[in-house]
Amino acid sequence: MIRDARVLRAGFVPREVEHRDAEVNHLSSVLEPITNGEPADTAIVTGPSGAGKTCISQFVTERLREEVLDVETTYVNCWRNYTRFRTLYQILDDLGATIDIHRQSTPHDELVDRLQQHDGPRTVVILDEVDQLEDPSVIYDLHSLPQFAIICIANKEEELFSRVDDRLVSRLRSSEHVRMDKYHDEQLYDILSSRAKWGLDEDVITDDQLYRIADAAAGDARLAIGILRTAAGKADRENHERITDDILLDAAEDARAQIKQKSLDSLTPHQRVVYDIVREHGPVGPSEIHERYSEDVDDPRTKRTIRTYLSKMEQYNLLEAEGTSRDREYSLVDSAAASPMQ
């Protein structure tokens, strides 16, 4: 049943991107100076979860590497590498420049010096989930180095700007902004149809089923592809000739649970403390959350940072908020209330 499993994977970058021509062209034009050996502006790519921000960024950089010999690219997930050291180390590691760096004792400045001394090809650095950086000064470190072009990926611009100092805000505001909206159901159907065409045998899934996946995913391409992948995997394991409606129903639940677990596993230690407080005491307001959080950790972050954590977990459907900014309360998302598979 599965012709090419790669096509169904979450991180797969297709040869053609559906319904994002304007965004692809915009980001390509930002990076174009690199093809002439010149510095490129920083690009900020924003949009909701599942809008294709990472896919677009990797698609454009791959095309760039196809066209130009002396261009490299490195990808950093800042949710996983949330400290300045980890981010700098990851970039240097991709450049093959970490052989004698000790994770415990090497100072940050030495990592920055290494990047300054890098005399290899111009490198595009994709900083995914950049609003998760505990110390956003790493953006400033890279911003000042002409041999690096930066793509910053975040859900919302204002949350990125609220975390950085004034000197960097002005630079980021003058950067090129590529804004992406949620997909419509028709667009998600086209994406799913393309993945099914290349990844599955013919007639394994009907158009009606693909439309139902698109509807249930509510604009989130990551969830839509996850449902398709989970359904195909289950049907294949159970030796079905096609994906049945029952399998599809189970797949929708399973895919949501997998994505939720992945998001939970991605939380930083401080974010996890905040999540657990909401789980145990919700519905609960930001002031009480910060109060309890400050009691639970040795090195508490500011109230503003905690609000950013809460917003991030809201965007990833781990928490939901009710009320205005003054009387807002947070609680865990009720998974059963998600868009059902019709």
Side-chain angles (χ1 to χ4, degrees), residues 72-86:
E72 289 301 328
T73 180
T74 175
Y75 172 85
V76 184
N77 183 323
C78 299
W79 207 336
R80 196 172 299 124
N81 301 285
Y82 54 88
T83 66
R84 184 178 174 215
F85 184 93
R86 283 194 196 182

PDB file of all heavy atoms in Angstrom, residues 72-86:
ATOM      1  N   GLU A  72      25.813  26.911   1.803  1.00  0.00           N
ATOM      2  CA  GLU A  72      25.434  25.839   2.714  1.00  0.00           C
ATOM      3  C   GLU A  72      24.209  26.282   3.507  1.00  0.00           C
ATOM      4  O   GLU A  72      23.849  27.458   3.523  1.00  0.00           O
ATOM      5  CB  GLU A  72      26.588  25.512   3.671  1.00  0.00           C
ATOM      6  CG  GLU A  72      27.762  24.808   3.012  1.00  0.00           C
ATOM      7  CD  GLU A  72      27.372  23.477   2.360  1.00  0.00           C
ATOM      8  OE1 GLU A  72      26.455  22.807   2.873  1.00  0.00           O
ATOM      9  OE2 GLU A  72      27.972  23.129   1.333  1.00  0.00           O
ATOM     10  N   THR A  73      23.591  25.329   4.166  1.00  0.00           N
ATOM     11  CA  THR A  73      22.441  25.669   5.000  1.00  0.00           C
ATOM     12  C   THR A  73      22.495  24.845   6.275  1.00  0.00           C
ATOM     13  O   THR A  73      22.979  23.711   6.268  1.00  0.00           O
ATOM     14  CB  THR A  73      21.116  25.417   4.237  1.00  0.00           C
ATOM     15  OG1 THR A  73      20.012  25.756   5.085  1.00  0.00           O
ATOM     16  CG2 THR A  73      20.974  23.969   3.827  1.00  0.00           C
ATOM     17  N   THR A  74      22.060  25.447   7.368  1.00  0.00           N
ATOM     18  CA  THR A  74      22.005  24.711   8.632  1.00  0.00           C
ATOM     19  C   THR A  74      20.668  24.999   9.306  1.00  0.00           C
ATOM     20  O   THR A  74      20.146  26.114   9.217  1.00  0.00           O
ATOM     21  CB  THR A  74      23.181  25.080   9.552  1.00  0.00           C
ATOM     22  OG1 THR A  74      23.022  24.428  10.813  1.00  0.00           O
ATOM     23  CG2 THR A  74      23.276  26.567   9.784  1.00  0.00           C
ATOM     24  N   TYR A  75      20.115  23.978   9.941  1.00  0.00           N
ATOM     25  CA  TYR A  75      18.784  24.083  10.558  1.00  0.00           C
ATOM     26  C   TYR A  75      18.918  23.863  12.060  1.00  0.00           C
ATOM     27  O   TYR A  75      19.526  22.883  12.501  1.00  0.00           O
ATOM     28  CB  TYR A  75      17.853  23.022   9.954  1.00  0.00           C
ATOM     29  CG  TYR A  75      16.517  22.906  10.660  1.00  0.00           C
ATOM     30  CD1 TYR A  75      15.459  23.738  10.318  1.00  0.00           C
ATOM     31  CD2 TYR A  75      16.322  21.972  11.676  1.00  0.00           C
ATOM     32  CE1 TYR A  75      14.240  23.643  10.976  1.00  0.00           C
ATOM     33  CE2 TYR A  75      15.107  21.866  12.334  1.00  0.00           C
ATOM     34  CZ  TYR A  75      14.065  22.706  11.971  1.00  0.00           C
ATOM     35  OH  TYR A  75      12.869  22.616  12.628  1.00  0.00           O
ATOM     36  N   VAL A  76      18.365  24.793  12.835  1.00  0.00           N
ATOM     37  CA  VAL A  76      18.399  24.675  14.299  1.00  0.00           C
ATOM     38  C   VAL A  76      16.975  24.758  14.833  1.00  0.00           C
ATOM     39  O   VAL A  76      16.269  25.741  14.586  1.00  0.00           O
ATOM     40  CB  VAL A  76      19.238  25.802  14.947  1.00  0.00           C
ATOM     41  CG1 VAL A  76      19.320  25.592  16.461  1.00  0.00           C
ATOM     42  CG2 VAL A  76      20.633  25.863  14.341  1.00  0.00           C
ATOM     43  N   ASN A  77      16.557  23.722  15.563  1.00  0.00           N
ATOM     44  CA  ASN A  77      15.276  23.770  16.262  1.00  0.00           C
ATOM     45  C   ASN A  77      15.541  24.419  17.621  1.00  0.00           C
ATOM     46  O   ASN A  77      16.150  23.809  18.499  1.00  0.00           O
ATOM     47  CB  ASN A  77      14.707  22.358  16.440  1.00  0.00           C
ATOM     48  CG  ASN A  77      13.337  22.378  17.107  1.00  0.00           C
ATOM     49  OD1 ASN A  77      13.083  23.182  17.988  1.00  0.00           O
ATOM     50  ND2 ASN A  77      12.465  21.486  16.680  1.00  0.00           N
ATOM     51  N   CYS A  78      15.098  25.680  17.776  1.00  0.00           N
ATOM     52  CA  CYS A  78      15.416  26.435  18.991  1.00  0.00           C
ATOM     53  C   CYS A  78      14.579  25.999  20.190  1.00  0.00           C
ATOM     54  O   CYS A  78      14.875  26.394  21.323  1.00  0.00           O
ATOM     55  CB  CYS A  78      15.229  27.936  18.747  1.00  0.00           C
ATOM     56  SG  CYS A  78      16.297  28.585  17.446  1.00  0.00           S
ATOM     57  N   TRP A  79      13.553  25.211  19.950  1.00  0.00           N
ATOM     58  CA  TRP A  79      12.807  24.654  21.082  1.00  0.00           C
ATOM     59  C   TRP A  79      13.669  23.576  21.747  1.00  0.00           C
ATOM     60  O   TRP A  79      13.717  23.445  22.959  1.00  0.00           O
ATOM     61  CB  TRP A  79      11.471  24.067  20.613  1.00  0.00           C
ATOM     62  CG  TRP A  79      10.419  24.072  21.666  1.00  0.00           C
ATOM     63  CD1 TRP A  79      10.622  24.083  23.020  1.00  0.00           C
ATOM     64  CD2 TRP A  79       9.006  24.087  21.499  1.00  0.00           C
ATOM     65  NE1 TRP A  79       9.427  24.102  23.684  1.00  0.00           N
ATOM     66  CE2 TRP A  79       8.418  24.098  22.787  1.00  0.00           C
ATOM     67  CE3 TRP A  79       8.171  24.078  20.375  1.00  0.00           C
ATOM     68  CZ2 TRP A  79       7.036  24.099  22.980  1.00  0.00           C
ATOM     69  CZ3 TRP A  79       6.803  24.078  20.576  1.00  0.00           C
ATOM     70  CH2 TRP A  79       6.232  24.091  21.853  1.00  0.00           C
ATOM     71  N   ARG A  80      14.387  22.815  20.918  1.00  0.00           N
ATOM     72  CA  ARG A  80      15.291  21.784  21.442  1.00  0.00           C
ATOM     73  C   ARG A  80      16.600  22.415  21.915  1.00  0.00           C
ATOM     74  O   ARG A  80      17.159  22.031  22.930  1.00  0.00           O
ATOM     75  CB  ARG A  80      15.554  20.736  20.359  1.00  0.00           C
ATOM     76  CG  ARG A  80      16.140  19.451  20.878  1.00  0.00           C
ATOM     77  CD  ARG A  80      16.186  18.386  19.794  1.00  0.00           C
ATOM     78  NE  ARG A  80      14.857  18.046  19.295  1.00  0.00           N
ATOM     79  CZ  ARG A  80      14.496  18.116  18.018  1.00  0.00           C
ATOM     80  NH1 ARG A  80      15.360  18.518  17.108  1.00  0.00           N
ATOM     81  NH2 ARG A  80      13.276  17.799  17.654  1.00  0.00           N
ATOM     82  N   ASN A  81      17.091  23.387  21.147  1.00  0.00           N
ATOM     83  CA  ASN A  81      18.357  24.059  21.469  1.00  0.00           C
ATOM     84  C   ASN A  81      18.038  25.458  21.968  1.00  0.00           C
ATOM     85  O   ASN A  81      18.281  26.447  21.282  1.00  0.00           O
ATOM     86  CB  ASN A  81      19.249  24.112  20.225  1.00  0.00           C
ATOM     87  CG  ASN A  81      19.552  22.737  19.679  1.00  0.00           C
ATOM     88  OD1 ASN A  81      20.346  21.986  20.231  1.00  0.00           O
ATOM     89  ND2 ASN A  81      18.910  22.375  18.574  1.00  0.00           N
ATOM     90  N   TYR A  82      17.456  25.532  23.166  1.00  0.00           N
ATOM     91  CA  TYR A  82      16.869  26.797  23.612  1.00  0.00           C
ATOM     92  C   TYR A  82      17.858  27.735  24.304  1.00  0.00           C
ATOM     93  O   TYR A  82      17.536  28.876  24.594  1.00  0.00           O
ATOM     94  CB  TYR A  82      15.666  26.542  24.529  1.00  0.00           C
ATOM     95  CG  TYR A  82      15.954  25.644  25.717  1.00  0.00           C
ATOM     96  CD1 TYR A  82      16.414  26.164  26.919  1.00  0.00           C
ATOM     97  CD2 TYR A  82      15.760  24.273  25.623  1.00  0.00           C
ATOM     98  CE1 TYR A  82      16.680  25.349  27.996  1.00  0.00           C
ATOM     99  CE2 TYR A  82      16.023  23.438  26.699  1.00  0.00           C
ATOM    100  CZ  TYR A  82      16.483  23.974  27.877  1.00  0.00           C
ATOM    101  OH  TYR A  82      16.760  23.156  28.948  1.00  0.00           O
ATOM    102  N   THR A  83      19.083  27.264  24.577  1.00  0.00           N
ATOM    103  CA  THR A  83      20.077  28.166  25.163  1.00  0.00           C
ATOM    104  C   THR A  83      20.961  28.740  24.054  1.00  0.00           C
ATOM    105  O   THR A  83      21.067  28.162  22.968  1.00  0.00           O
ATOM    106  CB  THR A  83      20.971  27.434  26.177  1.00  0.00           C
ATOM    107  OG1 THR A  83      21.768  26.458  25.491  1.00  0.00           O
ATOM    108  CG2 THR A  83      20.138  26.746  27.257  1.00  0.00           C
ATOM    109  N   ARG A  84      21.612  29.843  24.359  1.00  0.00           N
ATOM    110  CA  ARG A  84      22.508  30.476  23.388  1.00  0.00           C
ATOM    111  C   ARG A  84      23.640  29.512  23.016  1.00  0.00           C
ATOM    112  O   ARG A  84      24.011  29.374  21.852  1.00  0.00           O
ATOM    113  CB  ARG A  84      23.061  31.761  23.996  1.00  0.00           C
ATOM    114  CG  ARG A  84      23.936  32.582  23.048  1.00  0.00           C
ATOM    115  CD  ARG A  84      24.397  33.849  23.743  1.00  0.00           C
ATOM    116  NE  ARG A  84      25.343  34.593  22.925  1.00  0.00           N
ATOM    117  CZ  ARG A  84      26.365  35.271  23.424  1.00  0.00           C
ATOM    118  NH1 ARG A  84      26.572  35.277  24.722  1.00  0.00           N
ATOM    119  NH2 ARG A  84      27.182  35.926  22.627  1.00  0.00           N
ATOM    120  N   PHE A  85      24.176  28.825  24.029  1.00  0.00           N
ATOM    121  CA  PHE A  85      25.282  27.897  23.779  1.00  0.00           C
ATOM    122  C   PHE A  85      24.859  26.782  22.826  1.00  0.00           C
ATOM    123  O   PHE A  85      25.553  26.474  21.858  1.00  0.00           O
ATOM    124  CB  PHE A  85      25.783  27.287  25.099  1.00  0.00           C
ATOM    125  CG  PHE A  85      26.985  26.395  24.926  1.00  0.00           C
ATOM    126  CD1 PHE A  85      28.273  26.899  25.073  1.00  0.00           C
ATOM    127  CD2 PHE A  85      26.844  25.045  24.584  1.00  0.00           C
ATOM    128  CE1 PHE A  85      29.383  26.082  24.889  1.00  0.00           C
ATOM    129  CE2 PHE A  85      27.945  24.227  24.398  1.00  0.00           C
ATOM    130  CZ  PHE A  85      29.227  24.749  24.556  1.00  0.00           C
ATOM    131  N   ARG A  86      23.711  26.171  23.119  1.00  0.00           N
ATOM    132  CA  ARG A  86      23.256  25.039  22.288  1.00  0.00           C
ATOM    133  C   ARG A  86      23.041  25.446  20.842  1.00  0.00           C
ATOM    134  O   ARG A  86      23.359  24.703  19.915  1.00  0.00           O
ATOM    135  CB  ARG A  86      21.942  24.466  22.855  1.00  0.00           C
ATOM    136  CG  ARG A  86      22.111  23.590  24.075  1.00  0.00           C
ATOM    137  CD  ARG A  86      20.805  22.838  24.283  1.00  0.00           C
ATOM    138  NE  ARG A  86      20.713  22.250  25.600  1.00  0.00           N
ATOM    139  CZ  ARG A  86      19.682  21.523  26.000  1.00  0.00           C
ATOM    140  NH1 ARG A  86      18.650  21.334  25.188  1.00  0.00           N
ATOM    141  NH2 ARG A  86      19.646  20.990  27.202  1.00  0.00           N
TER     142      ARG A  86
END
